[in-house]
Amino acid sequence: MPITNDRIEDRSDPDVGASVGRAMAHDSAVAHVRGTAVYVDDLPEPKGTVHVVPGYADIARGRIDTLDLEAVRNAPGVLDVLTASSIPEVNDCSPVFGDDPILAADEVSFHGQPLFAVVAETRDQARRAARLARIEAEAIRPIVAVDEGIENGGDLMPSYTFERGNPALSIKACEHRLEGRFRIGGQEHFYLEGQVAIAFPGEGDAMRILSSTQHPTEIQHLVAAMLGVPDAAVVCECRRMGGGFGGKESQAAQWACLAALAARRTGRPAKIRLDRDDDMRMTGKRHDFRVDWRCGFDHEGLLAGVDLAFSSRCGYSADLSMAVNDRTMFHADNAYFYPECRILSRRIRTDTVSNTAFRGFGGPQGMLAAERMMDAIAIHLDRDPFEVRMRNLYAPGRDITPFGMEPQGYRLVRRIMQRLARTGEYAKRRRAIARFNVAAAEGAGHLRKGISLTPVKFGISFTLKHLNQAGALVNVFGDGSVQVNHGGTEMGQGLHTKITQVVAEEFGVDIGRVRITATRTDKVPNTSATAASVGSDLNGMAASRAAGVIRRRLARLAARLFQVRERQVSFAYGQVRVGEESIPFERLTQLAVEERVSLSATGHYATPGMTWDRETVSGNPFYYYAMGAACSEVSVDITTGEMRIDRVDILHDVGRSLNPAIDIGQIEGGFVQGAGWLTTEELAFDEQGRLRTHAPSTYKIPTCSDVPADFRVSLFEQGRNRMPTIHRSKAVGEPPLMLAISVFSAITHAIASLSSRRLPPLDAPATPEAILRAVAALRSEAG
Amino acid sequence: MRNHIRFIRKGQIVELSDVSPTETLLDYLRLRERSCGTKEGCAEGDCGACTVAVGRLRAGRIVYEPINSCIALLGMMDGLEIVTVDDLAPSDEHLHPVQSALVSAHASQCGFCTPGFVMSLFALYHSRQRADRSLVNDWLAGNLCRCTGYRPIADAALAACTGEPDDAFSRRSAKTHALLESLIDDHDIRIGDDESFFAAPASEDALVSLLERHKDATIVGGATDVGLWITKQLRSLPQIVHTGRVASMHEVIVDDDRIEIGGAVTYAEAEAALARIDPDIEELLRRLGSKQVRSLGTIGGNIANGSPIGDSPPWLIVLGAQVELRRGDARRRLPLEDFFIDYGRQDRALGEILLRIVVPRPAANEHFRCYKISKRFDQDISAVLGAFLFRIEKGRVVHARMALGGMAAIPKRAFHVEGALVGCEIDDPDARARAMDLAAKEWERDFSPIDDHRASAAYRLQVSHSLLTKALNEVADRPTSDMRLIDRRDLHRIEIGDLNNSHDSHPNAMDPGSPR
């Protein structure tokens, strides 16, 4: 029996361990529901803590003539006002390219860019003071939208291309040709806990920072560089985040830097917690795109040539845009073979906040383009889009990606899609929907329905090789309790729970004996961001190795003390089996202390086989692929554009699940977040480059009623990673987000029912207004 | 006169005399009490992370309602029991039933929104209703979760909220009841001095005379709007006058021909009465804000602040509602449609208060429809809100009233369009189409839609036409299941039909006040 979301239980295969494979609750579940889980803002503030609030100019682009902070300085409670000149050394908080000032000096690059920061006794005083600045600036008309950027802004960095064969020629030679342009909106992370950090000045040049961050090492490094002290003087710590989703990968650093700067200058602990509106204005989002596509295919919909041009709004600086856009290209095929193709990616500079990592990291936009083409082909040929999709899947002999690699394990996609079509009764429901739409049209009813089944194939690994590494530190104490620390951060995804399970499994002890501690740069150094879905893959392996070292030391000791061979020593159920005898785990750990055996070890893991070379466009960027499929059914009101998701079926492969409950949670949550991106979540900038949707009153993420009551999620039964990952599990953080493309596709088909063989010009997000626009366009074409 | 407020925390009465006029409940909890389980997510009442439950006596029974503590003023808490997530479980081993259900259902991931969900569910748990999914959706519409996709949370709610509360709070309800009763008095509250104060008069006369002396004072009903002036605009509001303690302004009177709603009545208090007018009003109120917003927000406030996108005025105007105002001893009554003069301008003098709203009930031959169109179904501000009323005699529209929100600087009637609809033979599809064509010609004279980030003017315009089509079709007995995605009206019809054993297919043709 597969594990489903209405029956979440332990994995049922014979290899399930005492801890691994079990549907254990999140390690903080009880603390979450009691409100006792501590986030940065909840810690008691030491006496004398000061509060930092950033200030900005009301323009998007221009040169600052006067930055008059007199009134700010004189406001009640103000202790200091930080500007670019307050920064002792490097004024940069960028992840790679050195182009993100912590505080802008003379030039404003986007609306909301911090120019100064107030340090005051209370947060309220700092907020009030921050609004008193008198700023005179020469405003220049900003470049805001992608299209404007393409026309006038230019490229932030060189474009990049994958090319095979001569797609222009092969498309020309085709019986059927289609082309189009559509737009994909960005997305605000809307982590429930906003950006926050507190810095504690230490002795000499030491600085300790608590931050809600996915990347403590980067914060350590940036704070050290800003203050002009060695990395060794700075410690960054994170116990948990109230959500991250990529929005705290590079975007948490600026605030940690400001807190550290205030702490250094005042000698007092300094806290910064962004107001929600400031958070939404000042931090980057998912990239929005314009996609220009062209393809040629035969009468059965089989592709011969594909030409895809992606142009993304990167904002004013590079941030992670290079890797994000590369990933768009890596996923522009989704699960389909493009015999001859060109995948072009332009990275457009605009005078808007610098766009950044967001769950899927560019992949979703690439895949949406692929699925849009599939729908276009099916509608054009009046065929079942499921058939068109199946026909174009990678298959033997048709199994090389646009970047020249065989997508390892691709056959699984077909099996998953077939099974889901069967269990989800796709064909039967599609017929019923067709009947419904005919009846509605005849009766002048206002509703139409659509259904779609789309696949996901998502590459797992950082595409930048050196990021594919992790470290862990395991300490076992005389009483048999275990502490584990690793480089990954907990943002709700259950990473700590999975790591605890892995370590408990290694020692054969109950999970309750293993204590996870806050991620700290002084325990495990030089870590990568918790990102790219590989948190468990990398850190799980590192933790397992660290625990393995100690277990082997304990086994050696037991063998020596009890005069047996090492392989006669085993660990299970809190006991250590030594030959015929059995002793409690804590007895052995006590003996180890007495016998002067070290019970502390580090572990390190580097993903093997990473051979991608961006320069030569060759090699393997991914260790393996995660796969799944979703089938969504929707209803649309063609007179108002309102849309409701009626039913969703998902079948997803997580390999051999480390924790089915957590994996199901990632799938459901990812899907709903993706559905929000493609439906109600709309970022609106005005012509002056000001974000108009900077609060939950105007930016609408899904609520409970947007999720269909009929929501069936299953884990793929025979899942087992072919690669030797930790317990043969698969990454699950990002891939499920893209299952929501099925919703967008289903909406497309509901609208397409209004016309014959016309692709509705639907842009993402499919808000009621976008849907009604597509309906009107189709009707005017038809009329 | 009292110079302090009193409320119940953890079974004890707390007295506070140092209450700044604009101090929020959330700041009190987190900064003063250091109860940090309650989180700030947005500080504008939209995400629900700061949800706490407030208990009060209503019809002799303790009722718990969820509220957004981030925009509730501390002073407004007088006389209530405040329950936060920190109060529910004595230890990790003894969780509250909603907490255990959430843990069992794997319903938390990052955990930051969780305390708010716990408290919304705590209130649902004590509502004595057996939860189904649609009820859960309603109760959770004001709580955003970005991690889980809600399914496990909804499952936990279904498991825990069985309609039979049995927890520490229900077990000590007699004691709480007595404590709440002991807090009831008829003293006016006034904390502060003439320059800066929080005041909550207990009578209409006291309210009026206070406002005579302090004409510039900010009148606060539920603070669901004023709260944002404080947390977002950082406005200085030194003088706050809260209407919530004025007993006479809390009355809801249901008569055969009208319903009267006091100016300080919250949506939560008025819901049941107003729902009797028409199922569309019940549905609209369900989608207006969230449970948290409706627990504090007042219909009087929604009218008095004059927003062009308020969800109450259009249907109240269409129903012919009147408002009663008072300043000093001068009382006056005027049709609501005359109350709105221009953007940001209402027919209300400084210091004048909105005492009550009188809502006539439609006659048997008057057919009412109301639609809310927004980007997201729940807890969103309308792009267009359309309210319609057609009086039909012998198959013809003899009188039409129509008002749209989001379609002009103020909520107002569409007189020209209304005129074009009179005479339409409602059951004839061609006649309806002709009426629509005639009406369309009048559109520009009545409407100039708002154009903003919620929706473009073009979209609002197009949708406003669609809504009239829907209304006409439905009144001509087209089933709502053909016309609407969210179809509670048909469900309603079945319920009412069953109850009355009636064969009449028009719910409005019956006594709309028939018990359900």
Side-chain angles (χ1 to χ4, degrees):
Chain A
M1 287 288 280
I3 297 167
T4 59
N5 62 343
D6 65 347
R7 209 174 43 82
I8 294 176
E9 54 194 16
D10 295 346
R11 225 173 57 206
S12 59
D13 65 80
D15 295 332
V16 71
S19 300
V20 160
R22 301 222 177 267
M24 285 167 167
H26 192 285
D27 75 309
S28 297
V30 169
H32 289 156
V33 299
R34 289 195 67 204
T36 52
V38 174
Y39 302 81
V40 173
D41 195 41
D42 300 337
L43 285 160
E45 290 165 12
K47 206 168 162 47
T49 299
V50 299
H51 296 265
V52 185
V53 169
Y56 60 95
D58 193 27
I59 59 166
R61 183 180 177 187
R63 234 194 131 60
I64 301 294
D65 292 330
T66 319
L67 178 59
D68 178 356
L69 298 170
E70 204 48 35
V72 182
R73 283 200 175 86
N74 294 332
V78 173
L79 301 165
D80 194 3
V81 183
L82 312 175
T83 62
S85 62
S86 322
I87 294 171
E89 290 292 331
V90 184
N91 182 8
D92 176 52
C93 58
S94 74
V96 187
F97 292 93
D99 54 352
D100 288 313
I102 299 164
L103 293 170
D106 315 308
E107 198 85 43
V108 176
S109 303
F110 71 93
H111 186 260
Q113 184 176 34
L115 295 172
F116 65 94
V118 183
V119 185
E121 295 285 355
T122 71
R123 183 166 177 267
D124 185 58
Q125 288 169 335
R127 286 185 73 198
R128 288 175 191 282
R131 298 189 184 190
L132 301 176
R134 212 174 50 79
I135 303 169
E136 281 169 27
E138 254 179 77
I140 302 166
R141 198 180 173 285
I143 292 164
V144 182
V146 185
D147 286 74
E148 276 179 273
I150 292 171
E151 302 285 322
N152 310 311
D155 297 34
L156 185 70
M157 58 184 79
S159 58
Y160 190 44
T161 313
F162 297 155
E163 211 159 359
R164 172 162 64 210
N166 190 333
L169 265 182
S170 61
I171 292 171
K172 214 171 171 186
C174 277
E175 187 183 344
H176 296 277
R177 291 181 294 274
L178 281 175
E179 63 179 28
R181 170 179 290 178
F182 77 112
R183 287 174 178 77
I184 306 172
Q187 187 177 24
E188 158 65 33
H189 302 84
F190 209 83
Y191 27 67
L192 262 287
E193 178 209 32
Q195 302 278 355
V196 58
I198 182 164
F200 302 94
E203 200 174 279
D205 58 7
M207 187 67 70
R208 177 168 162 256
I209 296 152
L210 307 187
S211 164
S212 179
T213 176
Q214 293 172 241
H215 203 346
T217 288
E218 191 164 278
I219 285 181
Q220 173 199 21
H221 176 71
L222 289 167
V223 166
M226 172 190 75
L227 296 176
V229 302
D231 283 2
V234 180
V235 175
C236 181
E237 176 177 333
C238 175
R239 171 58 185 88
R240 64 171 61 80
M241 282 163 270
F245 316 114
K248 293 171 182 170
E249 183 172 344
S250 65
Q251 303 293 297
Q254 191 163 14
W255 324 113
C257 286
L258 286 174
L261 184 60
R264 169 54 34 87
R265 283 169 64 94
T266 60
R268 291 158 66 170
K271 186 196 270 192
I272 184 166
R273 175 169 67 83
L274 292 190
D275 177 65
R276 177 62 65 177
D277 297 63
D278 284 350
D279 191 313
M280 290 179 75
R281 283 190 194 98
M282 294 176 179
T283 64
K285 298 155 202 331
R286 188 189 293 288
H287 292 65
D288 36 3
F289 275 70
R290 187 181 93 184
V291 184
D292 292 272
W293 58 272
R294 209 150 62 91
C295 64
F297 47 96
D298 69 10
H299 65 283
E300 292 192 305
L302 189 71
L303 282 166
V306 172
D307 186 357
L308 280 168
F310 293 95
S311 309
S312 74
R313 167 156 68 178
C314 295
Y316 84 99
S317 74
D319 189 76
L320 300 166
S321 286
M322 184 155 105
V324 167
N325 284 280
D326 284 2
R327 190 168 275 269
T328 300
M329 299 168 66
F330 286 124
H331 291 84
D333 59 341
N334 192 10
Y336 309 113
F337 178 60
Y338 297 163
E340 302 200 18
C341 59
R342 185 188 68 142
I343 316 281
L344 166 70
S345 160
R346 282 187 64 185
R347 296 96 201 264
I348 304 300
R349 188 198 178 286
T350 50
D351 302 314
T352 53
V353 66
S354 194
N355 281 332
T356 191
F358 194 143
R359 202 177 197 171
F361 204 74
Q365 295 96 322
M367 285 165 55
L368 184 59
E371 297 304 335
R372 182 102 184 126
M373 272 195 309
M374 290 299 138
D375 286 332
I377 295 167
I379 289 168
H380 177 76
L381 296 174
D382 198 19
R383 280 176 176 270
D384 182 345
F386 179 73
E387 278 173 32
V388 172
R389 289 191 161 90
M390 294 302 278
R391 190 155 292 134
N392 281 292
L393 287 180
Y394 283 108
R398 299 165 33 82
D399 53 7
I400 303 295
T401 61
F403 51 92
M405 291 301 295
E406 179 185 322
Q408 181 257 103
Y410 65 81
R411 288 175 183 82
L412 198 56
V413 180
R414 186 180 300 274
R415 283 171 61 200
I416 288 174
M417 286 175 78
Q418 278 165 340
R419 179 161 314 176
L420 183 65
R422 200 162 57 242
T423 57
E425 299 185 299
Y426 170 81
K428 188 173 135 198
R429 287 160 66 203
R430 187 165 186 272
R431 287 193 299 274
I433 283 170
R435 284 195 300 275
F436 174 92
N437 286 341
V438 167
E442 282 169 357
H446 287 186
L447 308 185
R448 296 293 184 277
K449 285 175 179 284
I451 187 170
S452 184
L453 193 160
T454 60
V456 166
K457 170 186 121 303
F458 192 77
I460 302 301
S461 287
F462 286 102
T463 51
L464 199 55
K465 182 178 172 180
H466 79 262
L467 300 177
N468 294 293
Q469 61 172 320
L473 168 68
V474 173
N475 296 326
V476 179
F477 298 89
D479 68 352
S481 63
V482 181
Q483 262 185 2
V484 55
N485 196 285
H486 59 92
T489 53
E490 175 67 35
M491 60 195 100
Q493 82 279 43
L495 174 61
H496 284 353
T497 312
K498 285 184 171 178
I499 301 291
T500 308
Q501 289 176 270
V502 165
V503 171
E505 191 76 34
E506 205 65 40
F507 291 122
V509 298
D510 185 78
I511 190 173
R513 226 192 261 249
V514 183
R515 181 73 59 96
I516 209 110
T517 57
T519 311
R520 290 176 60 125
T521 54
D522 59 349
K523 284 206 172 176
V524 176
N526 309 318
T527 57
S528 296
T530 307
S533 303
V534 292
S536 309
D537 281 15
L538 299 181
N539 296 289
M541 208 54 119
S544 156
R545 286 181 176 178
V549 169
I550 298 173
R551 184 174 44 83
R552 281 190 294 279
R553 286 185 200 147
L554 286 170
R556 204 174 308 136
L557 172 69
R560 177 162 64 79
L561 294 178
F562 290 82
Q563 298 291 306
V564 297
R565 285 166 199 272
E566 248 179 84
R567 57 183 163 75
Q568 288 173 280
V569 182
S570 62
F571 298 73
Y573 305 109
Q575 298 285 314
V576 183
R577 187 126 187 106
V578 191
E580 296 303 304
E581 284 179 76
S582 192
I583 59 167
F585 181 73
E586 61 270 26
R587 176 73 194 123
L588 183 58
T589 53
Q590 198 54 53
L591 284 169
V593 174
E594 287 162 15
E595 295 290 324
R596 300 185 297 174
V597 174
S598 164
L599 291 180
S600 178
T602 60
H604 185 260
Y605 174 74
T607 314
M610 298 283 93
T611 55
W612 174 246
D613 183 343
R614 194 176 189 273
E615 295 300 313
T616 58
V617 196
S618 65
N620 190 11
F622 302 122
Y623 190 40
Y624 64 91
Y625 291 87
M627 296 171 211
C631 179
S632 296
E633 179 179 331
V634 305
S635 296
V636 168
D637 183 327
I638 56 168
T639 71
T640 60
E642 294 165 286
M643 187 280 298
R644 190 186 61 202
I645 305 175
D646 297 320
R647 172 175 164 183
V648 174
D649 294 62
I650 288 171
L651 181 59
H652 195 78
D653 176 36
V654 297
R656 284 178 59 223
S657 177
L658 291 172
N659 182 326
I662 283 172
D663 287 345
I664 293 257
Q666 287 299 299
I667 295 168
E668 292 180 324
F671 175 85
V672 171
Q673 199 171 65
W677 166 52
L678 292 171
T679 60
T680 55
E681 296 185 34
E682 187 173 34
L683 292 166
F685 289 87
D686 65 16
E687 283 186 359
Q688 281 83 52
R690 293 176 301 200
L691 178 66
R692 305 313 300 180
T693 50
H694 49 73
S697 52
T698 45
Y699 185 78
K700 310 312 280 187
I701 73 168
T703 62
C704 194
S705 70
D706 295 309
V707 178
D710 197 350
F711 190 13
R712 313 177 192 193
V713 178
S714 303
L715 299 183
F716 185 65
E717 272 171 274
Q718 292 108 30
R720 179 176 185 277
N721 201 333
R722 289 155 37 125
M723 304 311 279
T725 50
I726 183 77
H727 296 281
R728 300 278 176 177
S729 62
K730 277 192 177 184
V732 71
E734 296 167 286
L737 182 126
M738 287 148 274
L739 295 167
I741 292 173
S742 58
V743 172
F744 189 80
S745 175
I747 297 169
T748 302
H749 291 291
I751 304 170
S753 73
L754 294 171
S755 180
S756 172
R757 302 188 172 205
R758 306 291 299 184
L759 178 70
L762 183 65
D763 289 329
T767 57
E769 181 160 356
I771 290 173
L772 197 59
R773 210 183 299 124
V775 166
L778 225 57
R779 288 188 147 175
S780 70
E781 278 177 28
Chain B
M1 181 80 76
R2 267 200 276 133
N3 63 355
H4 59 266
I5 59 166
R6 305 171 306 182
F7 51 82
I8 303 172
R9 286 287 289 137
K10 305 177 205 276
Q12 304 289 323
I13 291 176
V14 176
E15 264 191 36
L16 285 181
S17 51
D18 55 334
V19 176
S20 106
T22 53
E23 183 171 1
T24 64
L25 174 57
L26 180 63
D27 277 353
Y28 170 76
L29 291 172
R30 286 187 64 89
L31 302 179
R32 279 220 250 172
E33 209 181 68
R34 285 220 41 85
S35 292
C36 287
T38 310
K39 310 300 180 197
E40 179 187 305
C42 68
E44 61 167 38
D46 260 294
C47 79
C50 68
T51 303
V52 302
V54 293
R56 69 176 97 216
L57 293 178
R58 202 168 271 160
R61 206 164 70 81
I62 304 171
V63 174
Y64 288 105
E65 293 178 321
I67 65 165
N68 290 311
S69 64
C70 68
I71 50 170
L73 302 184
L74 178 59
M76 291 161 50
M77 295 300 114
D78 184 71
L80 305 179
E81 179 189 14
I82 301 166
V83 185
T84 79
V85 70
D86 311 273
D87 313 335
L88 295 198
S91 69
D92 285 357
E93 288 72 38
H94 298 90
L95 297 179
H96 187 274
V98 304
Q99 291 173 319
S100 326
L102 287 163
V103 171
S104 305
H106 304 280
S108 70
Q109 287 184 23
C110 86
F112 201 81
C113 71
T114 312
F117 276 94
V118 167
M119 294 318 297
S120 283
L121 292 182
F122 170 83
L124 172 57
Y125 179 84
H126 279 279
S127 75
R128 293 166 191 264
Q129 301 172 82
R130 174 172 264 293
D132 60 19
R133 179 61 187 261
S134 92
L135 191 70
V136 170
N137 286 347
D138 296 351
W139 280 77
L140 296 183
N143 291 86
L144 298 179
C145 167
R146 193 53 151 166
C147 296
T148 64
Y150 301 100
R151 195 275 314 157
I153 301 173
D155 280 358
L158 295 175
C161 301
T162 57
E164 288 157 13
D166 179 20
D167 64 0
F169 292 82
S170 62
R171 286 192 286 277
R172 66 165 190 247
S173 66
K175 185 170 171 262
T176 308
H177 196 289
L179 280 176
L180 283 168
E181 232 165 18
S182 77
L183 294 181
I184 297 170
D185 66 15
D186 53 6
H187 294 302
D188 301 327
I189 296 172
R190 176 87 185 267
I191 302 172
D193 52 29
D194 268 359
E195 293 299 305
S196 168
F197 60 78
F198 176 89
S203 70
E204 208 178 290
D205 289 340
L207 172 66
V208 166
S209 79
L210 183 67
L211 287 170
E212 286 266 278
R213 274 174 289 136
H214 301 281
K215 290 191 170 56
D216 293 329
T218 307
I219 305 172
V220 174
T224 55
D225 193 23
V226 171
L228 277 75
W229 305 357
I230 295 163
T231 62
K232 294 295 169 179
Q233 300 170 11
L234 306 184
R235 272 204 234 173
S236 166
L237 305 172
Q239 302 169 341
I240 296 283
V241 177
H242 174 49
T243 57
R245 273 176 67 76
V246 181
S248 62
M249 287 173 71
H250 267 285
E251 287 171 349
V252 176
I253 299 166
V254 179
D255 261 334
D256 287 345
D257 61 341
R258 68 181 192 284
I259 291 169
E260 294 192 14
I261 308 283
V265 170
T266 64
Y267 288 103
E269 290 168 323
E271 261 165 359
L274 290 171
R276 295 168 80 164
I277 296 176
D278 190 275
D280 280 3
I281 292 177
E282 182 181 16
E283 171 65 6
L284 177 77
L285 292 176
R286 187 193 71 75
R287 284 177 59 191
L288 191 152
S290 58
K291 273 278 172 199
Q292 288 92 323
V293 168
R294 297 194 297 274
S295 298
L296 290 181
T298 63
I299 300 174
N302 199 224
I303 292 169
N305 88 355
S307 164
I309 46 175
D311 271 352
S312 305
W315 54 270
L316 286 170
I317 287 174
V318 156
L319 290 169
Q322 301 201 314
V323 287
E324 195 177 314
L325 302 160
R326 176 175 172 191
R327 183 165 65 144
D329 288 329
R331 292 164 188 268
R332 63 196 179 106
R333 199 184 253 217
L334 75 162
L336 179 58
E337 58 192 83
D338 297 338
F339 178 74
F340 303 104
I341 300 168
D342 203 347
Y343 182 74
R345 264 186 70 212
Q346 297 91 45
D347 185 359
R348 186 176 70 84
L350 268 185
E352 195 172 33
I353 56 163
L354 197 155
L355 277 187
R356 67 178 51 79
I357 307 136
V358 182
V359 191
R361 297 169 74 163
N365 63 349
E366 289 181 333
H367 299 262
F368 175 85
R369 289 294 185 278
C370 181
Y371 309 88
K372 173 175 172 133
I373 308 299
S374 47
K375 201 177 279 183
R376 185 176 73 190
F377 285 115
D378 282 347
Q379 211 207 10
D380 196 359
I381 288 166
S382 304
V384 183
L385 190 126
F388 307 86
L389 185 135
F390 305 110
R391 188 181 306 144
I392 293 174
E393 285 173 11
K394 295 180 184 139
R396 277 179 195 275
V397 175
V398 295
H399 176 67
R401 293 168 72 89
M402 164 173 167
L404 301 180
M407 291 291 291
I410 54 168
K412 61 172 185 180
R413 276 179 65 188
F415 289 104
H416 301 95
V417 175
E418 289 173 1
L421 297 172
V422 171
C424 171
E425 279 181 61
I426 194 75
D427 290 328
D428 176 0
D430 295 333
R432 291 203 301 272
R434 280 196 302 278
M436 276 301 301
D437 285 345
L438 279 177
K441 293 196 178 71
E442 305 294 333
W443 225 260
E444 277 180 22
R445 296 171 70 180
D446 286 329
F447 300 117
S448 48
I450 297 170
D451 190 287
D452 67 10
H453 47 272
R454 288 202 175 86
S456 70
Y459 173 76
R460 289 178 211 252
L461 196 65
Q462 200 178 344
V463 165
S464 62
H465 287 281
S466 303
L467 296 185
L468 177 58
T469 312
K470 278 186 203 295
L472 286 172
N473 280 331
E474 286 183 12
V475 170
D477 209 20
R478 200 60 209 260
T480 52
S481 55
D482 287 357
M483 296 284 135
R484 306 183 186 198
L485 282 178
I486 298 183
D487 184 25
R488 295 199 185 201
R489 196 179 184 90
D490 273 358
L491 292 175
H492 227 275
R493 176 146 65 177
I494 293 160
E495 280 171 28
I496 293 173
D498 287 351
L499 271 171
N500 294 303
N501 196 20
S502 160
H503 298 291
D504 195 323
S505 58
H506 276 285
N508 284 319
M510 299 180 294
D511 169 20
S514 55
R516 296 198 297 110

